[in-house]
Amino acid sequence: MSDGQRLFIGGAWAEPDGGYYPVVDPATEETVGHAPEASVAQTEAACAAAREAFGTWSRTGPEERAAVLARAAEIIRGRLVPYADLAQAETGATTGTARAMQVGVAAARFRRYAAVEPAEWAVAPQINEAGGGTSHALQAVGAGRAGVMGALAVRQPVGVVTCITSYNNPWANPAGKIAPALAMGNTVVVKPAPQDPLSVYRMAEALQEAGAPAGVVNVVSGRATEVGAAAVASPDVDMVSFTGSTAVGQRIAEVCGRDMKRQLMELGGKGAALVFDDADLASAVAGIGTTFSFYSGQICTAPTRVLAQRGVYERLVEQLAAYAGRLKVGDPREAGTVVGPLISAEHRARVEAYVELGRKEGATVVAGGERPPLERGFHVAPAVLADCTNDMRVVREEIFGPVVSVVPFDEEDEGVALANDSDYGLIDYVWSGDVARAFRVARRLRAGGVGVNTVGRNMEAPFGGFKKSGVGRDVGSYALHAYSEVQAIVWPG
């Protein structure tokens, strides 16, 4: 199909060896466009192109690299509406989400990493006393005198980075990888999620127009697992940055481990939301309710595992059920729609199966879980499951949909123990009118982040998980650290 999207390899747009496949709008079930199916050979060619471009790009001044990112940000901002329309068609996001949280955040991330930050810093001098061992050897170099050793820590680019991105946000997620990687002097090979790759190709176009040299950014897509596997295993790749499921992340980590490749893993989550008796219930319900409205629950940071103290449990369940029932489910292009579709028919079936599993395990479905009466679209009504216990699969496993499970607890220690009794540890939440207690509990939670009386995020705070929720931290300056190696340069003072 000649009118399909082409691959982007070495600064050129290439016809895919594997042909094209349809990208489906999850709200209308119509074809949005046709994405390219790369071959293993083309994926390896993209990695080789990134390797060839690395030397020159890594030696390019940081100000010049920053200028490319700044121009890309302006191009993306200038095309916000058409880019958001495409993202909406690919993902089923509501209009507000597509514009603000997808394309808008992507532009903001390119602007953020266009701000040049110091890549080196002085280390406190060390006085080497006379004596044996290393100190004696250093003194011998310094004509036998005790001396002061100076040192400088320098951030160096890692090299070629393979970026494998998630389907829930084809703009913000890739931008959060590409922008800091390029800012630090790396080159990238991007393998987007097969469900919505077209937006990532628009990002590549913007970077090309902004002046990114050939080979600095490469994009290869495909439904076949061999494409991603080749982008990970290539000897030209030095680091893999992956966002997706823990199961896939574990397989990628095994490959990286064999070749000692750097990795940044943003994996699954099953966020615990501890709601204490003295909590502001309206705030807690609204925060937990973002599970339904934000990407229809297809987000790893969602507070899907609610732990409610006994005194507030029944009221919280009742208010969550009422909240879920008020949300408009439907076409994300229509005004007032809060909950759009899931990404595919297959994923809708998976979420529905979890709701049914919850019933079989003994949970009570107090709201939602059914398909709304709509002619088209992969919709599921927001579901609230009560009478849950922490050993149920619906409580322990990541569903990645608009489903919240509620578990009661009595005392603070029990609530903390339940929250920590999970394979995951990405972001947890605490709601309490006693701020001192909320912060005390937060410090006890085994999670990479904790929201206290909020689900909001500070976009300069480190982001990443404990346990099976990932490896490493990014966002803000932490992303610059993630996409760089630290080199020590030492000299006699």
Side-chain angles (χ1 to χ4, degrees):
M1 178 177 293
S2 60
D3 61 346
Q5 171 65 54
R6 291 177 294 170
L7 305 167
F8 189 56
I9 302 173
W13 297 93
E15 291 290 333
D17 290 343
Y20 299 87
Y21 67 91
V23 176
V24 176
D25 184 329
T28 66
E29 303 183 43
E30 297 175 353
T31 298
V32 176
H34 291 85
E37 187 81 54
S39 64
V40 169
Q42 287 179 311
T43 304
E44 292 173 342
C47 297
R51 171 59 59 196
E52 183 178 356
F54 172 68
T56 301
W57 181 250
S58 63
R59 293 190 298 270
T60 301
E63 293 81 5
E64 187 175 341
R65 297 196 299 260
V68 171
L69 299 180
R71 288 193 293 269
E74 291 308 307
I75 291 170
I76 293 169
R77 283 181 56 184
R79 300 172 185 168
L80 186 147
V81 172
Y83 282 170
D85 288 347
L86 175 60
Q88 183 175 59
E90 288 192 284
T91 66
T94 62
T95 300
T97 295
R99 293 184 181 182
M101 303 307 298
Q102 294 188 344
V103 182
V105 169
R109 286 181 168 171
F110 278 104
R111 284 199 309 274
R112 163 63 178 88
Y113 294 108
V116 180
E117 298 190 13
E120 58 184 47
W121 63 97
V123 177
Q126 176 182 324
I127 299 176
N128 294 298
E129 303 293 346
T134 303
S135 180
H136 180 75
L138 290 171
Q139 290 166 20
V141 172
R145 295 182 293 105
V148 177
M149 298 301 296
L152 190 67
V154 180
R155 291 206 175 276
Q156 299 280 19
V158 178
V160 176
V161 182
T162 286
C163 303
I164 303 179
T165 65
S166 59
Y167 71 72
N168 59 351
N169 196 326
W171 279 95
N173 185 260
K177 299 179 186 295
I178 296 169
L182 297 190
M184 289 307 304
N186 303 284
T187 55
V188 299
V189 176
V190 187
K191 196 287 179 182
Q195 296 93 335
D196 50 12
L198 302 179
S199 290
V200 182
Y201 285 105
R202 300 291 81 74
M203 190 180 299
E205 286 180 354
L207 282 160
Q208 185 182 41
E209 290 181 39
V216 169
V217 177
N218 307 269
V219 184
V220 289
S221 58
R223 294 174 296 183
T225 57
E226 289 80 8
V227 177
V232 169
S234 169
D236 286 314
V237 170
D238 302 290
M239 174 180 172
V240 177
S241 176
F242 171 73
T243 300
S245 72
T246 295
V248 175
Q250 288 172 321
R251 294 196 292 271
I252 291 173
E254 289 174 0
V255 176
C256 290
R258 288 196 293 269
D259 292 329
M260 298 305 293
K261 296 182 181 183
R262 289 281 301 277
Q263 53 184 292
L264 178 61
M265 297 284 177
E266 182 192 335
L267 307 179
K270 190 72 176 180
L274 282 86
V275 183
F276 288 93
D277 287 346
D278 60 353
D280 179 338
L281 274 195
S283 173
V285 168
I288 296 164
T290 61
T291 299
F292 310 134
S293 58
F294 200 49
Y295 302 129
S296 303
Q298 297 169 115
I299 185 166
C300 53
T301 59
T304 55
R305 189 166 54 108
V306 179
L307 307 175
Q309 197 165 18
R310 192 78 60 178
V312 77
Y313 173 80
E314 291 186 3
R315 284 184 294 145
L316 182 63
V317 168
E318 179 182 345
Q319 292 184 31
L320 277 173
Y323 184 93
R326 289 194 298 268
L327 301 179
K328 179 181 177 180
V329 182
D331 189 329
R333 297 170 180 83
E334 293 182 1
T337 294
V338 178
V339 185
L342 298 173
I343 193 66
S344 65
E346 294 78 11
H347 189 53
R348 176 180 60 185
R350 179 178 183 273
V351 171
E352 290 173 329
Y354 264 109
V355 174
E356 183 57 32
L357 173 64
R359 285 194 178 95
K360 292 178 180 178
E361 290 182 310
T364 302
V365 180
V366 295
E370 74 283 355
R371 295 186 188 184
L374 300 168
E375 292 184 4
R376 293 188 177 186
F378 309 128
H379 302 280
V380 173
V384 177
L385 278 62
D387 304 320
C388 296
T389 58
N390 217 45
D391 58 348
M392 293 179 176
R393 287 179 59 192
V394 288
V395 178
R396 303 196 67 83
E397 298 177 11
E398 185 177 38
I399 298 173
F400 220 60
V403 180
V404 165
S405 303
V406 190
V407 178
F409 71 92
D410 290 303
E411 301 300 328
E412 178 181 312
D413 286 348
E414 181 190 3
V416 171
L418 289 171
N420 288 336
D421 181 18
S422 172
D423 290 337
Y424 299 105
L426 187 56
I427 296 187
D428 287 343
Y429 305 87
V430 180
W431 271 275
S432 173
D434 183 342
V435 175
R437 173 168 67 174
F439 275 85
R440 179 178 69 244
V441 169
R443 294 291 294 269
R444 297 177 63 191
L445 296 176
R446 298 290 296 166
V450 181
V452 173
N453 293 324
T454 184
V455 292
R457 282 178 57 193
N458 181 319
M459 298 308 291
E460 288 296 313
F463 180 75
F466 289 11
K467 298 182 280 188
K468 291 184 180 180
S469 284
V471 176
R473 296 293 182 272
D474 67 356
V475 180
S477 297
Y478 297 89
L480 299 174
H481 302 173
Y483 293 97
S484 62
E485 298 276 18
V486 177
Q487 178 187 62
I489 301 176
V490 182
W491 66 91

